[in-house]
Amino acid sequence: MRRLLISNVGMSHIKTAVLILVAAMVFSAVFLYSSIMTIIQASRDQTKRVLDDFVMHNSIIIYDALKNGDDLSEELDELFYKSEFFAAYSLDISGDSLYSVSDQGGVEYVISHPQVDYEVQNTLQLRASYDLAIPIRFAGSRLFDLKIPVLVKSHYVLKYD
């Protein structure tokens, strides 16, 4: 490593600058990846919690259906789910999407309106899907939006002794 940084012909400053620049770019990519993964995981966890709360809200209907020998439910109250989703995320609404604003006033990420439906028709196996868009910035300017489709599933499981 010492040979890379020291030169007898006066080129050591250029090599050192290039090595530091390359190292900074690698660290920047690692930090960007980790921040994107943190946003995705937090989004999935929050959606999973909202789906589980949605199932628990309907626990009386679900329990009655299970007592009668099946796990079928008649309808899905998607409006209640969306209101719980909006309350849990506390995001701003703009058109057909929800967005999170950073402390500096920039958009951190954008979520499309979630679609909740049955994984298997009329059963207590629910799924929610939405698109998560994270703006990628470089040198203070927005390059593009990284769109990630997210699918979260929740199942009601009856525990047996």
Side-chain angles (χ1 to χ4, degrees):
M1 183 71 165
R2 185 170 168 87
R3 283 189 321 174
L4 287 174
L5 299 177
I6 296 175
S7 172
N8 292 335
V9 292
M11 296 298 290
S12 64
H13 296 297
I14 294 173
K15 286 182 186 177
T16 304
V18 169
L19 287 175
I20 289 174
L21 184 61
V22 168
M25 290 172 65
V26 168
F27 283 131
S28 175
V30 168
F31 291 143
L32 177 65
Y33 177 78
S34 67
S35 69
I36 289 172
M37 291 307 293
T38 301
I39 290 172
I40 293 169
Q41 190 60 40
S43 168
R44 289 179 60 87
D45 290 346
Q46 190 77 352
T47 304
K48 176 74 170 157
R49 189 188 62 76
V50 171
L51 263 179
D52 290 343
D53 288 349
F54 182 66
V55 170
M56 291 310 294
H57 173 74
N58 297 315
S59 64
I60 295 172
I61 297 168
I62 292 167
Y63 184 71
D64 285 342
L66 288 171
K67 247 175 36 177
N68 292 330
D70 61 8
D71 66 347
L72 297 178
S73 61
E74 293 300 320
E75 63 183 37
L76 187 64
D77 189 6
E78 192 169 346
L79 189 60
F80 176 76
Y81 173 78
K82 285 186 179 182
S83 68
E84 288 293 311
F85 188 85
F86 296 153
Y89 272 100
S90 65
L91 300 173
D92 296 324
I93 300 173
S94 173
D96 63 343
S97 59
L98 310 164
Y99 61 95
S100 173
V101 179
S102 68
D103 295 338
Q104 292 82 21
V107 175
E108 284 185 358
Y109 60 90
V110 178
I111 295 177
S112 66
H113 276 286
Q115 301 298 318
V116 63
D117 59 350
Y118 295 106
E119 190 172 0
V120 178
Q121 192 61 34
N122 294 331
T123 64
L124 302 176
Q125 301 174 11
L126 302 177
R127 69 176 170 218
S129 61
Y130 56 91
D131 291 328
L132 178 67
I134 302 171
I136 303 299
R137 292 182 173 82
F138 180 73
S141 61
R142 188 177 189 164
L143 297 178
F144 59 91
D145 287 342
L146 180 63
K147 284 197 170 202
I148 303 158
V150 179
L151 176 67
V152 179
K153 299 177 184 180
S154 180
H155 302 280
Y156 186 82
V157 179
L158 185 63
K159 291 186 178 181
Y160 295 103
D161 292 331

